[in-house]
Amino acid sequence: MATIRDVARLAGVSVATVSRVLNQNGYVNKETEQKVIRAIEQLRYEPNAVARGLAGKQTGTIALILPDITNPFFPEMARGVEDAAQAQGYTVILCNSDDQGQKEKSYIEMLRKKYIDGIIFASNTLGQEDVEQMRSNNIPLVVLDRAPTRQLCSVIRSQNYEGAKLAVRHLLDVGCRKIAHIYGPQELITAKKRLLGYEETVMHFPWYTPSLMVPGHFRVDGGFDAVKELLKRHPDVDGIFCGNDLMAVGALKALYQLGVRVPEDVALIGFDGIGLTELTQPELSTVAQPIYEMGVLAAKVLMETIETGVMEPRLYELEVTLVARESTKRRAEA
Ligand code: RIB
């Protein structure tokens, strides 16, 4: 297998020049760059990632692939990644995949060619084969939030199942007698665990029926439409747990349009803890994830992997916090 020295010899330049071309940092004139690229292609040179790993960071750049930057949850998480990375001298390349698997794969291929030091994957179409392919290329990888199960890398997320139970128990504590759930896309482990937490908390009540669960797609309009459908099915619902805050915002709007008072008629709670929940009227109760801290931890785990050259898969599940506000304020006993 060709080494970086073989490339330098064939191109007639120093190893440092080859490294600058590989890492896209530092000045190299066009003619020299072309000679190095020809030598890399002729020798089919691939950096020995273990050496890269052992040698610590090569490009000083990591990538963060997010599924939807229009959801305030992800920019807050990206802020944590960037602050932690910059503190250790790394630059972060932010990629938005729009939840599209093909877009994610193109990003991974582009990043691999740029000799990125590592990738934090916060999207959800990453399959086992993608993880294995990145491992075979020895690209250090950390999966954040929407981690599929059985990963060959470290996974950071919050306690989604426990957080859902916390939300539903809070609605029961404030006097709700029939609680519904507006859920996120069930191909996402985060949404799936929250639905499970809801179901396992309410399924023994006589009023429970699966028709109390309606999809909201993790979107504002999804939460809005779900409330309309829900109140058609069950006009006597007096508590709603939404699987994320954006759906809770949409639900609040629909309840207002239907003339349903929050919390007097229906108590409403979301999940995530984004700032938007403090701007609604009434302010929204939620189960807050440690969003920024999840980003910081993911960056630190990835940088340690890069600099030690050792990938030791580990699951980190961070605690969540109940934030009780106006939308679930204790209601007068019915
Ligand atoms: O709001 C976006 C949702 O997608 C969050 O709950 C987060 O956990 C992610 O899974």
Side-chain angles (χ1 to χ4, degrees), residues 67 71 73-74 145-146 158 160 188 190-191 194 218 243-246 271-272 274 289 294:
N71 181 329
F73 175 88
F74 294 105
D145 179 60
R146 299 179 168 185
S158 63
N160 294 290
L188 303 183
T190 49
R194 292 169 203 166
F218 271 166
N244 80 340
D245 289 336
L246 290 187
F271 199 107
D272 281 348
I274 60 175
Q289 299 193 62
M294 285 162 73

Side-chain angles (χ1 to χ4, degrees), residues 112-177:
R112 192 180 67 78
K113 286 184 179 143
K114 285 194 176 304
Y115 300 100
I116 199 91
D117 282 336
I119 300 178
I120 297 172
F121 220 93
S123 196
N124 50 280
T125 60
L126 190 72
Q128 203 62 26
E129 67 289 346
D130 300 314
V131 178
E132 277 147 11
Q133 194 248 322
M134 278 188 265
R135 267 182 75 86
S136 66
N137 288 321
N138 283 291
I139 300 175
L141 172 73
V142 166
V143 175
L144 175 54
D145 179 60
R146 299 179 168 185
T149 50
R150 288 187 319 102
Q151 283 298 338
L152 293 168
C153 59
S154 288
V155 172
I156 288 106
R157 57 174 176 245
S158 63
Q159 293 178 342
N160 294 290
Y161 172 79
E162 295 80 357
K165 292 179 89 85
L166 201 55
V168 179
R169 284 199 196 111
H170 175 62
L171 292 175
L172 291 167
D173 289 346
V174 299
C176 294
R177 293 285 178 275

Side-chain angles (χ1 to χ4, degrees), residues 249-280:
V249 169
L252 187 62
K253 175 83 182 281
L255 290 165
Y256 175 78
Q257 283 192 359
L258 291 168
V260 175
R261 297 172 303 161
V262 176
E264 294 80 357
D265 301 327
V266 171
L268 181 64
I269 188 167
F271 199 107
D272 281 348
I274 60 175
L276 199 53
T277 52
E278 295 177 87
L279 303 178
T280 54

Side-chain angles (χ1 to χ4, degrees), residues 13-280:
V13 298
S14 70
V15 168
T17 301
V18 176
S19 183
R20 279 201 298 277
V21 170
L22 287 174
N23 301 338
Q24 295 293 301
N25 62 5
Y27 175 72
V28 180
N29 72 45
K30 269 294 165 221
E31 187 193 342
T32 304
E33 185 178 38
Q34 286 310 312
K35 279 199 293 186
V36 171
I37 290 170
R38 277 196 301 276
I40 287 172
E41 287 164 355
Q42 189 175 330
L43 295 170
R44 291 197 175 82
Y45 168 69
E46 290 268 351
N48 171 335
V50 173
R52 280 176 66 228
L54 292 175
K57 66 186 180 190
Q58 296 294 297
T59 60
T61 309
I62 59 177
L64 170 62
I65 300 181
L66 296 171
D68 174 12
I69 53 170
T70 62
N71 181 329
F73 175 88
F74 294 105
E76 187 174 341
M77 192 159 72
R79 181 82 252 183
V81 171
E82 195 185 30
D83 287 353
Q86 283 192 335
Q88 281 186 229
Y90 283 79
T91 304
V92 179
I93 295 178
L94 189 57
C95 309
N96 175 47
S97 70
D98 286 331
D99 268 334
Q100 291 165 22
Q102 197 39 54
K103 210 170 164 187
E104 287 170 1
K105 288 185 180 5
S106 334
Y107 270 129
I108 292 170
E109 190 47 28
M110 177 274 286
L111 294 166
R112 192 180 67 78
K113 286 184 179 143
K114 285 194 176 304
Y115 300 100
I116 199 91
D117 282 336
I119 300 178
I120 297 172
F121 220 93
S123 196
N124 50 280
T125 60
L126 190 72
Q128 203 62 26
E129 67 289 346
D130 300 314
V131 178
E132 277 147 11
Q133 194 248 322
M134 278 188 265
R135 267 182 75 86
S136 66
N137 288 321
N138 283 291
I139 300 175
L141 172 73
V142 166
V143 175
L144 175 54
D145 179 60
R146 299 179 168 185
T149 50
R150 288 187 319 102
Q151 283 298 338
L152 293 168
C153 59
S154 288
V155 172
I156 288 106
R157 57 174 176 245
S158 63
Q159 293 178 342
N160 294 290
Y161 172 79
E162 295 80 357
K165 292 179 89 85
L166 201 55
V168 179
R169 284 199 196 111
H170 175 62
L171 292 175
L172 291 167
D173 289 346
V174 299
C176 294
R177 293 285 178 275
K178 187 171 183 182
I179 300 169
H181 178 45
I182 298 176
Y183 59 85
Q186 289 302 291
E187 66 273 19
L188 303 183
I189 191 162
T190 49
K192 203 169 168 179
K193 289 228 175 189
R194 292 169 203 166
L195 183 144
L196 196 59
Y198 160 81
E199 253 189 330
E200 292 190 357
T201 309
V202 301
M203 66 194 324
H204 62 281
F205 286 106
W207 46 260
Y208 171 70
T209 162
S211 65
L212 281 166
M213 296 186 287
V214 186
H217 316 292
F218 271 166
R219 296 197 315 262
V220 173
D221 61 331
F224 181 93
D225 296 341
V227 158
K228 303 272 176 123
E229 173 59 25
L230 195 55
L231 294 189
K232 261 190 233 150
R233 295 183 194 173
H234 300 280
D236 57 344
V237 158
D238 67 353
I240 302 176
F241 162 45
C242 295
N244 80 340
D245 289 336
L246 290 187
M247 294 191 295
V249 169
L252 187 62
K253 175 83 182 281
L255 290 165
Y256 175 78
Q257 283 192 359
L258 291 168
V260 175
R261 297 172 303 161
V262 176
E264 294 80 357
D265 301 327
V266 171
L268 181 64
I269 188 167
F271 199 107
D272 281 348
I274 60 175
L276 199 53
T277 52
E278 295 177 87
L279 303 178
T280 54

